[in-house]
Amino acid sequence: MEVQDHHQKQIFNSKMFQEFLDFLGEHYFIPIYFVTLVVSLFKYRGYFDTVLKYYPMLIAYTFFNELLGTLVRTYPSFSFFKNLSYSSYNQIIYNIYFVIFLIFFYSVYWQLILDKSYKKYVKLISFISIFSFVISCIFQNPFETDLFYSVSIGSWVLVLFIGLYFIDKHKRNKKLVQPNNLVFWLSIALLVFYSIFPILFLIGYLDYYTWEKYSLRTVLKILIIVMYGLIIIGFVKGKRRAFE
C-alpha cells in the first residue's frame, strides 16, 4: 500500500512539475516582473529618497497582479465568481491596476517636471484621463471587459507626459541622454511600450482577426520583456548623483 501511495505521489509531483513548466512556457514574460522587483530592492539605496521610492511596491503589485490575473484566466478554481460562466473573468483586476499605475506615474512626472505651465497641463490632463475610466464604466462593465478606450487614452497621456519631461529638461539645458540616470531608462522603457501598447490593445478588441493573424499577443509579450529589460538596465546603471 505504501509503495502504491509513493508511486501515486511521484506521478502527481511529475504532473504538477510539467504543468508548471507548461505555465512558464505559455507565460514566459511573467518572471521578468519578479527579476525587476529583486533588482529594484537590491539597488534601493540609490533612489530611496526620490520620487521613485515607492516604485518597488508598484513592481511587486504588477507581478502579483499579472500572476493572479493569469491564474484566474487559466484555472477556474482561482475565479472571484461562483458562476462558472464568469470563471475566467479577470478584467476587474487589470482595470483597477491600470488606474493605480497611471496615478503613480502621472504623479512622478508631475514632480519631475519643473516648468510651472507644464505642471498645470499635467495636473489637468491627468484628471481628464482618470475621469475617462469613470465615463467608461457607464458604457462598459469593468468586471466583464477591459476598459480599452480609457486604457489607451491613459497610455498616450503618459507618453505625452514623458515627452514634456524631456522637453522640460531640454529647456533647462540638461542632457537628454543620461546613461546613469534611472529616470532616463525608465522613461525610455515606458515610452517604447506605451506608444505601441494602445494600438495593439485596441486591435485586440476591435479587430480580433488581425490580432490572431499577426500573433500580436506574442508581440505584446516581447514588448513587456523589452520594457522591463530597459528598466533593469536603469536600476543597474543608475547612480544617485545622476538622478533627476
Side-chain angles (χ1 to χ4, degrees):
M1 192 67 165
E2 291 182 0
V3 174
Q4 184 179 3
D5 290 342
H6 178 70
H7 181 63
Q8 289 178 342
K9 185 180 291 185
Q10 283 185 320
I11 294 175
F12 177 77
N13 290 338
S14 177
K15 182 179 179 181
M16 288 292 291
F17 182 69
Q18 186 59 50
E19 287 184 355
F20 177 71
L21 291 179
D22 292 341
F23 179 83
L24 288 182
E26 175 67 22
H27 308 287
Y28 52 85
F29 61 97
I30 291 181
I32 198 168
Y33 297 122
F34 181 73
V35 173
T36 307
L37 175 60
V38 171
V39 175
S40 71
L41 293 173
F42 182 75
K43 301 289 289 184
Y44 192 65
R45 289 180 59 186
Y47 63 95
F48 75 95
D49 57 346
T50 70
V51 295
L52 293 177
K53 60 184 175 182
Y54 298 118
Y55 187 41
M57 295 176 61
L58 183 64
I59 299 174
Y61 178 27
T62 302
F63 170 65
F64 288 112
N65 185 80
E66 190 65 47
L67 184 61
L68 179 60
T70 301
L71 289 173
V72 169
R73 184 170 57 249
T74 307
Y75 304 104
S77 58
F78 283 91
S79 178
F80 302 115
F81 305 98
K82 293 182 179 179
N83 188 334
L84 291 178
S85 63
Y86 296 98
S87 62
S88 63
Y89 284 13
N90 59 2
Q91 283 84 359
I92 187 62
I93 302 173
Y94 292 107
N95 287 327
I96 294 173
Y97 164 79
F98 205 74
V99 171
I100 294 173
F101 173 89
L102 288 178
I103 290 174
F104 175 82
F105 276 111
Y106 288 174
S107 173
V108 164
Y109 283 101
W110 179 81
Q111 294 176 75
L112 289 171
I113 294 171
L114 301 184
D115 185 283
K116 291 183 178 180
S117 61
Y118 289 172
K119 290 175 81 73
K120 290 180 181 179
Y121 292 142
V122 170
K123 185 178 293 187
L124 175 61
I125 298 174
S126 294
F127 175 79
I128 295 172
S129 174
I130 299 303
F131 188 69
S132 71
F133 283 86
V134 178
I135 300 299
S136 288
C137 287
I138 298 175
F139 301 98
Q140 297 174 288
N141 187 339
F143 287 91
E144 297 181 357
T145 183
D146 292 305
L147 305 176
F148 49 90
Y149 289 117
S150 295
V151 168
S152 299
I153 292 171
S155 298
W156 279 318
V157 166
L158 179 58
V159 170
L160 171 64
F161 292 167
I162 295 171
L164 288 177
Y165 163 72
F166 281 115
I167 293 173
D168 181 64
K169 286 176 68 70
H170 179 69
K171 287 178 63 176
R172 292 185 284 115
N173 297 317
K174 298 285 186 177
K175 290 183 179 180
L176 298 185
V177 179
Q178 298 176 307
N180 298 123
N181 183 1
L182 172 58
V183 178
F184 167 75
W185 289 101
L186 179 61
S187 297
I188 294 299
L190 294 173
L191 192 62
V192 168
F193 183 82
Y194 285 100
S195 59
I196 302 173
F197 163 70
I199 300 173
L200 301 180
F201 203 49
L202 288 173
I203 290 175
Y205 272 95
L206 303 178
D207 188 0
Y208 191 71
Y209 173 77
T210 300
W211 170 266
E212 286 293 321
K213 180 180 179 181
Y214 295 102
S215 301
L216 297 184
R217 180 180 284 104
T218 301
V219 174
L220 186 59
K221 292 177 181 178
I222 292 172
L223 281 173
I224 291 173
I225 293 173
V226 170
M227 175 173 63
Y228 279 93
L230 290 171
I231 293 172
I232 290 173
I233 292 174
F235 281 122
V236 172
K237 293 179 66 68
K239 291 181 171 55
R240 179 64 187 87
R241 65 178 183 275
F243 189 97
E244 62 175 335

